[in-house]
Amino acid sequence: MTPESHSPAGTDDRTLDPPPGCPAHGLGPDGLHRLYGLAADDLGDLYEKLRDEHGAVAPVLLHNDVPIWVVLGHAENLHMVSTPTHFSRDSRLWTAVQDGTAGPDHPLAPHIAWQPICSHAEGDEHLRLRGAVMGAMSTINHRTIRRHINRATQILVNRFCEKGRADLVSQFTEHLPMAVLCQILGIPDEYDDRLVQATRDLLQGTETAIASNEYVMNILIRHTARRRAQPAEDFTSVLINHPARLTDDEVAQHLRLVLLAAYEATANLLANVLRVVLIDPRFRAQLNGGQMTVPEAVEQSLWDEPPFSAVLGYFAKQDTELGGRRIRRGDGLILGIAPGNIDPRVRPDLKANMMGNRSHLAFGGGPHECPGQDIGRAIADVGVEALLIRLPDVELDGDEDELRWRSSMASRHLVELPVYFEPKPQQDVEAMPAINPIPRQQQPNRQVTTDRPTAPAHRPAPPQPAPTAPAAAEPAHRPGAWQRFLRWWRGY
């Protein structure tokens, strides 16, 4: 950011900083609010305070008191992400990077450092790299992905369904996205608790974030080398063989981009949707009564509790103006997703239903709009529906006020979501989730006897040989048109 003072008094005198222990400990140099540490325990309230004090664009401080702008207005955020002539994602333009105040040892270095990826590139290079990513995305079979999601959900729910209690964060929402994404990227053998923990750690910008980033990158670099030598039918192989001819480093960095962005967004989205289902009777009644579908519930959550609260960052390519603020060349800006979604100019009534409205900022916009948003939506749609089918009587175990959050500038992550339910039996992981699943035939060649005194309401079909590919168990009668459509939509 530029040396221009943001102090109301127009001075850069650092001797005016509040001493340690002062009630104003949340303020830094020039009286600016910090987006980290104790001051960031409730960024929602801080954003609204900043909106009242400064309007749609406010000056704040990042870790190590690095100055930056946070964009709070919905229209201003859309203008920033949609005007590549004025704002870039290339952090090398940032004054704080150039003068070393946001160097390699900065806690947010994994997010700040420039990388050879489409989200940091511009012009022809951006078109080349993003074209490769979108090309690989276009080859993903969404019906197959839905099968993976259903199967992963069945495996996870089977681990706790017989106990009658679970923590849906640590046992479900933090694992389902990673299991599915590893399958998409072609690294299912790497999926384990350590990968989940390392991914979460580096996204939080902790003291061990750099080491966690190295762990994840080592996995992706080795995987890229394997697929270069032995291609397979997965996202990585398509990316490697795309006409854009990405280098191994570019491939690994884009795998990291897809893995991190899709994982964090989807894990938070899953937790947020399930939390609202559990604490809001009206929301749940709308789902159960058919007035709202799970995809519509997901979109409402993307407005009210977006998976990413903010994204770092955009950087001014020239002197300009945004939200009435003078932005200097080299200034850094934060995409304020959460505050932009509740901009009073867009949502004067926050209780109003946003059903059918996809103009939220959850996936960004412009040239760098999230390329994997359909995967995230699919995991949330199918995962939430499958879980509720398996556990229709699930209830929050405790009071809503007891729920805890882990907050950072980038996201607000639910720490745990304890629930209870009537214990349920395990189900076949290859079948669609069901309340009362049809038992799997153990002896496919056994003849069905018909010497019963009364005929059943629906005569069971003759047992069939075990399928060679994952498939749902067939009911005895032919499903109606609506049921056949639902099965097609879910990937069966």
Side-chain angles (χ1 to χ4, degrees):
M1 207 160 175
T2 65
E4 179 185 13
S5 172
H6 297 294
S7 169
T11 176
D12 289 318
D13 185 359
R14 301 302 172 89
T15 62
L16 300 179
D17 292 352
C22 172
H25 67 277
L27 300 179
D30 300 330
L32 300 185
H33 288 278
R34 295 184 170 105
L35 295 187
Y36 68 98
L38 295 177
D41 283 346
D42 192 339
L43 284 177
D45 285 347
L46 178 56
Y47 286 144
E48 292 313 299
K49 183 176 182 179
L50 290 169
R51 198 194 308 271
D52 291 339
E53 293 178 359
H54 301 282
V57 180
V60 291
L61 297 172
L62 284 182
H63 300 67
N64 297 349
D65 286 343
V66 176
I68 198 168
W69 299 99
V70 59
V71 185
L72 307 169
H74 187 275
E76 288 75 15
N77 274 296
L78 282 180
H79 176 76
M80 178 178 68
V81 301
S82 303
T83 314
T85 54
H86 289 68
F87 303 99
S88 170
R89 297 282 333 259
D90 188 343
S91 61
R92 294 174 296 184
L93 300 175
W94 192 13
T95 301
V97 168
Q98 294 176 358
D99 65 20
T101 55
D105 58 344
H106 192 274
L108 296 179
H111 306 275
I112 295 172
W114 182 89
Q115 300 158 34
I117 53 178
C118 59
S119 60
H120 288 178
E122 293 187 62
D124 291 342
E125 186 66 359
H126 173 260
L127 294 176
R128 180 180 77 89
L129 296 174
R130 187 175 175 90
V133 172
M134 296 303 293
M137 287 284 183
S138 68
T139 65
I140 295 175
N141 186 318
H142 283 266
R143 295 186 67 188
T144 300
I145 292 304
R146 288 176 178 270
R147 292 193 187 100
H148 288 320
I149 300 168
N150 268 316
R151 185 177 187 278
T153 298
Q154 292 282 55
I155 292 173
L156 291 172
V157 175
N158 277 351
R159 294 176 181 174
F160 57 76
C161 63
E162 296 175 311
K163 299 177 182 178
R165 271 181 161 74
D167 170 22
L168 292 185
V169 171
S170 64
Q171 295 178 270
F172 185 71
T173 66
E174 288 187 344
H175 285 269
L176 179 61
M178 185 61 74
V180 175
L181 289 168
C182 285
Q183 191 72 42
I184 291 173
L185 300 185
I187 53 173
D189 293 342
E190 300 288 354
Y191 163 63
D192 58 17
D193 289 344
R194 186 179 180 189
L195 180 59
V196 171
Q197 293 166 1
T199 303
R200 291 224 51 77
D201 184 58
L202 76 90
L203 287 166
Q204 294 297 324
T206 66
E207 294 180 355
T208 56
I210 294 177
S212 294
N213 183 62
E214 290 177 354
Y215 174 77
V216 173
M217 281 305 303
N218 283 337
I219 290 176
L220 300 177
I221 290 170
R222 292 198 307 270
H223 177 58
T224 299
R226 279 196 305 269
R227 284 294 180 261
R228 179 76 73 178
Q230 298 177 331
E233 294 184 1
D234 54 36
F235 179 92
T236 304
S237 298
V238 176
L239 193 62
I240 289 173
N241 294 306
H242 190 272
R245 297 183 180 278
L246 271 63
T247 66
D248 281 3
D249 185 42
E250 290 173 334
V251 171
Q253 292 289 354
H254 281 89
L255 294 181
R256 175 186 181 276
L257 173 67
V258 172
L259 183 68
L260 298 189
Y263 169 73
E264 173 74 355
T266 310
N268 287 343
L269 180 58
L270 280 166
N272 294 338
V273 174
L274 288 171
R275 178 184 64 86
V276 175
V277 168
L278 293 169
I279 68 174
D280 190 339
R282 293 173 300 174
F283 199 88
R284 189 165 188 168
Q286 286 181 312
L287 281 176
N288 293 337
Q291 294 93 351
M292 177 184 288
T293 64
V294 171
E296 288 170 340
V298 168
E299 290 302 319
Q300 182 69 38
S301 180
L302 289 170
W303 273 103
D304 297 335
E305 191 75 46
F308 284 113
S309 306
V311 173
L312 175 69
Y314 281 77
F315 309 96
K317 299 170 68 175
Q318 61 187 44
D319 291 352
T320 186
E321 183 178 309
L322 184 65
R325 289 285 182 172
R326 183 184 181 187
I327 308 298
R328 294 283 188 86
R329 178 182 178 181
D331 280 4
L333 303 98
I334 296 172
L335 170 62
I337 296 173
N341 274 1
I342 59 172
D343 185 341
R345 295 173 298 176
V346 176
R347 295 182 67 187
D349 180 7
L350 295 180
K351 295 182 180 179
N353 195 313
M354 302 300 287
M355 192 179 300
N357 188 334
R358 285 194 172 190
S359 60
H360 53 73
L361 302 170
F363 297 113
H368 297 290
E369 184 175 11
C370 175
Q373 57 185 276
D374 288 341
I375 294 175
R377 280 191 173 100
I379 295 174
D381 293 348
V382 178
V384 168
E385 183 175 28
L387 176 75
L388 295 180
I389 289 174
R390 286 289 304 273
L391 309 174
D393 59 340
V394 64
E395 297 287 347
L396 182 66
D397 190 1
D399 296 330
E400 176 188 352
D401 294 340
E402 296 175 349
L403 296 178
R404 296 181 297 112
W405 304 82
R406 184 184 301 114
S407 298
S408 69
M409 183 201 72
S411 65
R412 186 168 176 258
H413 183 75
L414 193 62
V415 174
E416 57 186 1
L417 191 60
V419 296
Y420 67 92
F421 47 87
E422 190 69 24
K424 306 291 192 299
Q426 295 192 17
Q427 293 187 14
D428 178 8
V429 300
E430 304 296 347
M432 285 183 64
I435 299 175
N436 297 306
I438 298 176
R440 194 169 192 171
Q441 296 289 345
Q442 299 298 324
Q443 299 177 4
N445 295 322
R446 182 180 177 180
Q447 296 296 318
V448 177
T449 61
T450 59
D451 54 350
R452 296 186 179 183
T454 58
H458 296 286
R459 186 178 301 280
Q464 299 296 320
T468 57
E474 291 290 341
H477 59 284
R478 177 177 174 81
W482 177 246
Q483 285 77 18
R484 294 198 303 273
F485 170 76
L486 285 178
R487 292 182 60 194
W488 172 83
W489 174 256
R490 293 168 179 164
Y492 285 86

